[in-house]
Amino acid sequence: MADEVSDAGTVRADAWIWSVRLTKTRSQAASACRAGHVRVNGERVKPAHAVKAGDEIRVFHAGRERVVVVSKIVRKRVGPPVAATCFVDNTPPPPPREFVAPVAVRDRGTGRPTKRDRREMERLQGLGGDGPTAR
C-alpha cells in the first residue's frame, strides 16, 4: 500500500477520480473528462491530464457536482476508508427537499388527461392556466 498512496508525484485525472471512488469505473471517469464534466483548477481537462496534490477537482457525475481538493496521490483503486483520506471534500450540501418543484405524476394506464387534469398539472408547474378560457 505504500506505493499506492503518496504525497508527491502526479497521476492521470481519470485514474485518480476512479481510484478515490468518485466514479464507479475508470471508463466513466474518462467519459466525464471527454464530455467536459471534469475541471482541474477551473479548466476542463482531458483524461490524461496530470493531477498533483493541492489541485481542486470539480466532477459533475450522476446529476451532482463534487468539489474536492487532492491531498494524496493514488495510483490504484483503494478502499473507502483510505480513499476518504486522499481528498478534502468541499462539495456544497444538496438543496433542501422543500425547494424542489413538485412534479405532476399520473398513474400508469389512466389514459389521456382531461382538460381539468391538464389545468391542474399546469397550475402545479406554474405555467399559468388563468387565461380567458380558464374556469
Side-chain angles (χ1 to χ4, degrees):
M1 182 173 132
D3 59 354
E4 294 175 5
V5 179
S6 68
D7 293 331
T10 61
V11 69
R12 288 174 57 110
D14 61 342
W16 189 86
I17 291 168
W18 166 74
S19 297
V20 296
R21 298 175 172 266
L22 294 178
T23 61
K24 287 187 178 183
T25 65
R26 185 166 171 182
S27 67
Q28 282 181 343
S31 296
C33 290
R34 282 192 295 274
H37 299 302
V38 176
R39 293 178 178 265
V40 175
N41 297 327
E43 295 190 19
R44 290 182 177 176
V45 296
K46 293 183 179 180
H49 181 82
V51 173
K52 63 186 182 314
D55 285 346
E56 180 192 63
I57 298 180
R58 292 177 176 264
V59 180
F60 187 79
H61 178 69
R64 159 169 203 228
E65 185 180 41
R66 300 283 308 266
V67 181
V68 297
V69 176
V70 179
S71 59
K72 294 182 183 174
I73 298 298
V74 184
R75 295 197 184 343
K76 294 186 178 180
R77 192 160 170 99
V78 293
V82 177
T85 65
C86 295
F87 61 88
V88 178
D89 196 355
N90 293 334
T91 304
R97 285 284 216 177
E98 64 232 15
F99 290 126
V100 177
V103 178
V105 178
R106 291 179 44 82
D107 294 330
R108 253 181 104 79
T110 57
R112 292 180 60 173
T114 63
K115 188 181 271 189
R116 182 180 198 177
D117 293 337
R118 226 175 23 254
R119 285 186 180 141
E120 182 65 21
M121 287 187 290
E122 288 173 353
R123 187 185 65 76
L124 285 174
Q125 294 172 350
L127 296 178
D130 50 72
T133 59
R135 292 182 150 179

